[in-house]
Structures are given as structure tokens and as C-alpha cells.
Amino acid sequence: MTSATKTAGVGAPARPGTATGGGALAGTGTLVRFALRRDRVRLPVWILALLLGTLSTANSYAELYGTPEDRANAVETMGSPAGLAMSGPRHYLDDYTSGAMLGHQMLGFTAVLVGLMSVLVITRHTRAEEETGRAELLRSTVVGRHAHLAAALSVAALANLVLGLLLALGLGGLGIDGVDAGGSLLYGAAHAAVGLVFAGVAAVTAQLTAHARGATGTALAVIGAAYVLRAAGDSGENGALSWLSPIGWAQRTYVYVDDDWWPLLLCLALAAGCAATGFALSTRRDVGAGIRPQKPGRPVASPALGTPLGLALRLHRGMLAGFGAGLFLMGAMYGSILGQAEDMLKDIDQLQEALERIGGTGIAEAFASMVMVVVAVVAAVYVVMAALRARAEETAGRAEPLLATGLSRGRWAGSHLAVAMGGGTLALLVAGLGFGIAGAASTGDGVLVPRLVGAALAYAPALWVTVGVAAVLFGWFPRASAAAWIVPVYAFVVGYLGQILRFPGWMNNLSPFGHVPRLPAADLDWTQLLVLTLVAAGLVWLGLAGLRRRDLETK
């Protein structure tokens, strides 16, 4: 009996509560319990991270903007089109309390993260189960054809409801002026509603393609489009485009200002519609297949596919293109406000102090240096996903046939790591290019293009170290490979938020990103970059050595 069969309980005697009859939803309750057990670490980490991040931000706003004068200065800063595009609708500025500030500046951002959590839950327990063959194995027992999707939606709904409730209780208990219990309940409900929408979106995308990565990528593209529509609408004259985005609907509850609940009805209606569409589409395809037919391959494969590196490039090209486009747009968005950075930040004392610690000849340079940390962290998300692709190929059973040939383990895994390192560097390049072009247009200083491209590329050795950490975990501790995500998360918390919240310097030194010169504000130090490169090379070598000494694991 395989490990997957044991996990599913196939072949074991039925327990109380286990489905024993037919029906499209038979076995849903059992699958919900299995999914909750599998995610017993992932979901609590997601929920606690979002909760603690929101509570710490709310406290920071209360400290940073403790007086009406401070909040009035913030209104002037956030009232520009660029400020509204990065935050939310203008109506929040009419009564800019600490609560209104939280809803204005944080709701749209955290809604994206909640959507990401929901998408990953759905695709993990639906399309990924079909791709690995576990769904077909389970459906050969008394499990209905809709049970997997119903269970995944139930788990996602439960996670979002728990998050919403904890946000309501946590914010309501802070005792901050302007953050009352009623508004906190709405704030939590808005996050839960947006999470349900994107869970429904993922239920649809999981039916369209035969691959989990394709389903996840399509759903994430919808999240990105929703955010862009929200940003474009809020920075425009009438805000019409924001009404096309579920994130815009959540923000138009005007939490802590008007406390309007009715926009959440739009979210619930869309979530229900998407879920119903997902169930309907699932009846029009075979298990393991997608609605969208796969394109027939070329009669003759490219010679590059006969090499490990060429195959790895083919497998990674979609994700690399998506991250590259996203980082270019991200850099261009930040670059478009570079010319207004001094006016936007001049009255925020704590940010001013953080920028002064970074150094440089002006606020624009220091601001660009701080933004580069965010850009590098997003690129680190890509390199972790790319570096762990080898683990996914191994557990799916696709690596074993390749390694049964003359292909060595080092060349096979090394090709994925090489694409991760090269792709991450390319992503930094296009992000710096977008930042530089938009920044030059915003400030009228064409020299910013090469300077900001160089500032972005300075983080490449830190990305390579991140790949090295993933390689060591994959090679020696494959079941703990997901711990590689700690590197980008820690880098963002300490490298970006730590500058504002005044974390001690030794915490920044624990991150490879903390040893990168903060260009363009700081001077270039080649020694630090060379040391990071050598560390990355050593970690990759160590990881490949571990892979050669262990058995392959296939789920």
C-alpha cells in the first residue's frame, strides 16, 4: 500500500462519519479533515502572519500619526494621484483617523495576500491532487466527483472566516482611537469576503488547465488585474474602474469612516457565482484534464529540449515571464512617484529618520534604496519557487525516469538551480529598468536609468544565496524544503519594515539582503557582493552533494 493510499485511508475500514453512499458530495467531510491535517502548519502560519502584521501596523499608525496635525500632513501626502493609487479611494481622507488610515492604506494590500492564501489552498487541494494522481485514486472509492472541490472551498472558507474573526477581535481590543468594535468587525469581514472571491476564482481556474502551476498563475493574474483596476480607479476622477474589482468593493465599505456593509454583498455574490461555475465546469472534463485542450506539440522537438538546461528553461519560462512582467510594472509604478517622493515623505518623521539612516544625497535616492528591498524580495519569491521546482518534479515522479538515463543528479538539479539564479537576475534587471525609465520620466534625470538598473542588480548575489539555501534544504532535508520561504519573508520584515520600526542592526545582518549595499544611496562595496557570491556557490555545492547521497522520494 502506497503512502498516498495510507494517507487517504483507502483500503482501511470505514470510520464513523466516513461517506458510505453515493452522491456528488460523498466523502466531502472526510476530505476536509484530511486537508486540515495536511495544512495544520501552513494555514496557521498564514493567518498569524496576516494578523500580527495588521496589528503591528495599526499600532505603528497610532504612534506615527498621534496628533491631528500629523494626520493632516498624511492627508496631503496621500491625496495625490500616485498616493491614492498605492492606497485607496479619496473618501477615507475626509476623516483620517487611525482607523480610516488603516482601511485606506492596508486593506487593499492585505486583500492581495488573503487572495494569495485562498488561491494556494484551492489549487493545492484540487488541481495538484489531480496532477499527482491522488484524486483519481480517491475517487475510485466512495468519493463524489465534487467532493475535492467542495472540501477545498470549505477549507478556504474556514481559513478566511477564522482570519476575519481574529482581525475583528484583535483590532477591536487594541484600544486605539478611531478603531472601534463595529469597524473592526467590518474590517475582518471585508478580508474574509475578498478571500472567498479569490477562492471562487481559483475554483474556476483549476478547471481550465491540467497543471497546478497554470491554475495558480491564472488566478494570481486575476488578483493582479483586480489590484491594477483598483489602483487605476482610485487615482482617476470618478473611480469607476474600482467598481470592477473585488478589492475595490472591499475598500468601498469605507471601514472606520462610514462602515457600509453592502459592498460585501457583491463579493459574496461573485464568490458564489465563481464557485458554482467551478462545479459546473468540473462536469465537462475528465479527471486530470482541463477544459482548455492542450496544444499539440511540434513534430520535432527543439534540440535544446535534449539538454537538462533546455528542459528546465522550458518548464520555467511561463513563471519567469509572469514575474518579469510583474516586476517591470512594479518598478515602473514606484518610479512614477519618485519625483514626488520628497513631498510625500517630508512630514512623516519616522520615515524621514529611516531614510536618513540609509543615507544618500537626497530623499529620492534613499526612497529608491528602500524600494529596492521590496523589489528584491519579490524576485526572491520567484527564485524560491524556481529552485523548489526540482523538488516538485521529484515528488511527482517525473525526475526518476530522467535520472534512469545517463543524466546525473547534479546536472538535473543544477539546471533548475541555474535557471533560478539566472531568472532571478533577469527579473532584477527588468525591474530596475522599469524603475529607472519611469523614475527618469518622473524626475527628468536620465542618469537614473543605469543607476537604478545597477542598484537592482546589486541584489543578485543575495538571490543566489537564497537559491543556495533552497538547494541545501532540498538536498539534505527534502521534506523541510518549504522552510526556504523563511528567507524572503524575513528579508521583507527586517529589511523593509525594520527600517521604519527601528529593528536592531544585528537582525538585518542575519539576512543575505542585509549585506547588499543600499544603492543608489550608498557606495558600491564589491567585497560584500563577492562574499555573498562565494557563500551562494558553497551552498549550491553542499545542496547537490546532499542530493547525491540520498534516495529519491516519490509521493
Side-chain angles (χ1 to χ4, degrees), residues 286-326:
D286 294 329
V287 177
I291 293 291
R292 185 176 60 191
Q294 295 188 9
K295 297 180 180 179
R298 297 192 309 178
V300 179
S302 168
L305 289 179
T307 65
L309 184 60
L311 177 60
L313 281 171
R314 178 64 176 267
L315 294 175
H316 289 258
R317 65 180 183 179
M319 184 170 63
L320 177 58
F323 269 90

Side-chain angles (χ1 to χ4, degrees), residues 427-447:
L428 288 176
L429 174 65
V430 297
L433 191 61
F435 199 2
I437 293 173
S442 170
T443 61
D445 184 5
V447 180

